[in-house]
Amino acid sequence: MATFFGEVLSVYSRAVEEDDDELDEIEEDEQIRRELEEKRQKFMLHLQELLIYGNLEVHLHWSPEVSESLKSGNKLQCSDFILAVGQNASSFLSVHILSTPNWDTIGRASVWNERSRAVTGQSCEESACVFYRHKDNPTVLICQVSCYVAEDQLFQWTEKVFDCLQLRELNVTVLSDTSVADYKTADYLGGSSAPFLRSLHTSAFGDQPVCQSLEQPNIVTGLAAAVLNHCQVHRIAAVVYQCYSDVIGPDSVTMETYKPVLTKLGRSIQLDPSPSTDALRKFVRTTDLQSNLYI
Amino acid sequence: MFISSQSSAPSFRDFTLVMPAVAVGNVGQLAVDLIVSTLNMSRVGHIHTDCLIPMAGNNPYASSKEDGEELHTPAEVYAAAELKLAVLQIRAPILQSKTKKFRQLLVSWIKSSGFSRTVVLSSSHAYQRDDQQLQGTPLRYLVTPSLLKGSADALKELGWREMERVPAFPGLTDGNTEPRLCIPGGGITKGLYTDSCKEDLPLAVLLLFCSEGDNIPDAFTLANHLNDWLHLLDDNSKQPNKWKIPTSWSLLFGNGIPPALF
């Protein structure tokens, strides 16, 4: 595109990527893609020392007891599946629910993509995607996802996880962090309104959400959206509570925004409605300084 | 794959399918929004696939509070049985690595559903037009041989311009310079068209040359152009704005302005 000053600029479309329809060029692109795929696969093999399944990028590791059960064709009995996407959502669950001593870790998911930090040797001490099951009420499952799941892995993650769950009478609750910069509203949002909650639910969800529904033209993306899509299409009752916050990283005020959800969750599980400040402090660490250039 | 949102699978036999290509300016998708919104079409199913980036939102065509809280997914099918019209709306980008798979999915779904014809609404980069294309109307069409058999007269009457074939290497006079189809910025349009030719599907492409920006007027242009052929709206009202804008079109260019700015 030529500008008025006589320079030529490349024009990018916000809707579509360039040049994905030329048959000759596709071969080269395919080769590059293949090489990237091979690189990903090689890394997974080195890291995990695992059997090769269909696709190595998203892999679920269950505890031996659960693996045995799944292998013999019995899916995980589940009446409530609570998913936390993002640091604040995960920390909220850790402080209010997982702090009570009745939870077993039954599995984790490894998600390898461009943003995974390179790990040498064994997998990182704190797996970024963990599944917990309640000891006394084993139909309640919790999953915390604090790692980045790439766009092309979202569908796969959701399918793999829900494939392990028995879907009858299942209720899904998703807590998801997002930035208030993504929130569109006609009235200008002053700094005081964030953080706040908005909800989105599937047609099969019969309960009342604890907060306002997400107004037009806002949408939900990422893992929360992938789960909602899956549940809508398979007629599973699901609700997403999206927390819009102006703070990047773990923050106690943002975490506390999820509190109204406790009223719903408290019906099926024991929780800690007022955790000690020490418990909170453990999860809210000051953001690591990535650079002191602007101090 | 197609999953019905009703108790039984709908029948699309002999229906016309209108679908957008995710292309420059999102014009096809905007035009489809206008069609669904104006004709008050009801959703009959979802295309559930790993080829699209997941997103979810409330009903973008809500006209009141009652139907406002209905979850919508990235690819949905709407139908108006009385018009024998089905519309597929695609709301999310197609994953780069899955474009071929998505095209195959669409082609096989179109085949198995028995649509009498498919119309793809699309767009192409305006800045890549050659000298000839700069003049006259920015609208073009393409038609597979299968559809040409039935619609040749209608298209001739409308006086539409067919999309030109351009030389592969403009300026070079030697070598393999057979003109070929080129739709820059059209996403899967060209691939879908060539696949449909191969599979002998009756498919038409309606496209508009445009640039990124405020593409709402482009959407109206394309929707009116389609209407000239398919007559989706009643001809009685000769008003220019017979299309109904959906509520999801608000705030396309950002939030409200902070009053303290002034």
Side-chain angles (χ1 to χ4, degrees), chain B residues 24 27 122-130 132-141 161-164 166 182-184 206-212 215 218 221-222:
Chain B
V24 59
V27 179
S122 180
S123 50
S124 182
H125 279 305
Y127 76 91
Q128 286 208 319
R129 288 175 289 179
D130 64 13
Q132 286 288 63
Q133 293 170 321
L134 279 173
Q135 297 163 355
T137 170
L139 291 156
R140 294 289 185 276
Y141 80 94
R161 254 170 101 166
E162 189 171 2
M163 183 70 174
E164 301 90 340
V166 292
C182 190
I183 309 179
L206 258 59
L207 67 84
L208 174 74
F209 289 117
C210 69
S211 307
E212 292 282 354
N215 298 107
D218 298 320
T221 309
L222 197 56

Side-chain angles (χ1 to χ4, degrees), chain A residues 1 9-24 26 30 33 151-156 159 180-181 183-189 199-203 209 213-222 224-226 228-230 232-235, chain B residues 3-7 22-26 29 43 46 48-50 53-60 69-74 93 95-99 103 125 127 180 182-187 190-191 212-213 215 247-248 250-251 253-259:
Chain A
M1 181 181 88
L9 298 173
S10 358
V11 173
Y12 295 104
S13 164
R14 66 182 177 231
V16 72
E17 300 282 335
E18 237 356 307
D19 283 339
D20 52 356
D21 52 1
E22 298 299 333
L23 283 160
D24 303 321
I26 271 182
E30 258 190 47
R33 225 169 277 137
E151 283 171 339
D152 55 341
Q153 297 173 323
L154 296 168
F155 191 91
Q156 207 199 123
E159 291 277 293
V180 74
Y183 186 69
K184 293 196 176 63
T185 173
D187 319 308
Y188 170 66
L189 275 183
S199 71
L200 208 54
H201 60 87
T202 59
S203 309
S213 189
L214 189 62
E215 309 92 331
Q216 289 297 330
N218 294 289
I219 58 168
V220 163
T221 56
L228 270 181
N229 286 347
H230 185 95
Q232 174 70 13
V233 160
H234 291 101
R235 306 185 198 217
Chain B
I3 299 182
S4 171
S5 57
Q6 303 166 321
S7 42
V22 180
V24 59
N26 304 97
Q29 296 160 286
R43 179 178 62 181
H46 309 264
H48 191 56
T49 167
D50 61 342
I53 298 177
M55 56 73 68
N58 274 328
N59 187 359
E69 278 181 41
E70 191 185 57
L71 193 74
H72 284 246
T73 61
L95 286 165
Q96 278 289 72
S97 50
K98 302 251 166 79
T99 50
R103 277 178 4 225
H125 279 305
Y127 76 91
R180 63 199 188 145
C182 190
I183 309 179
K190 183 179 146 190
E212 292 282 354
N215 298 107
T247 46
S248 56
S250 57
L251 302 174
F253 300 102
N255 282 351
I257 303 167

Side-chain angles (χ1 to χ4, degrees), chain B residues 13-25:
Chain B
R13 205 134 285 276
D14 296 329
F15 273 41
T16 298
L17 173 69
V18 174
M19 60 165 281
V22 180
V24 59

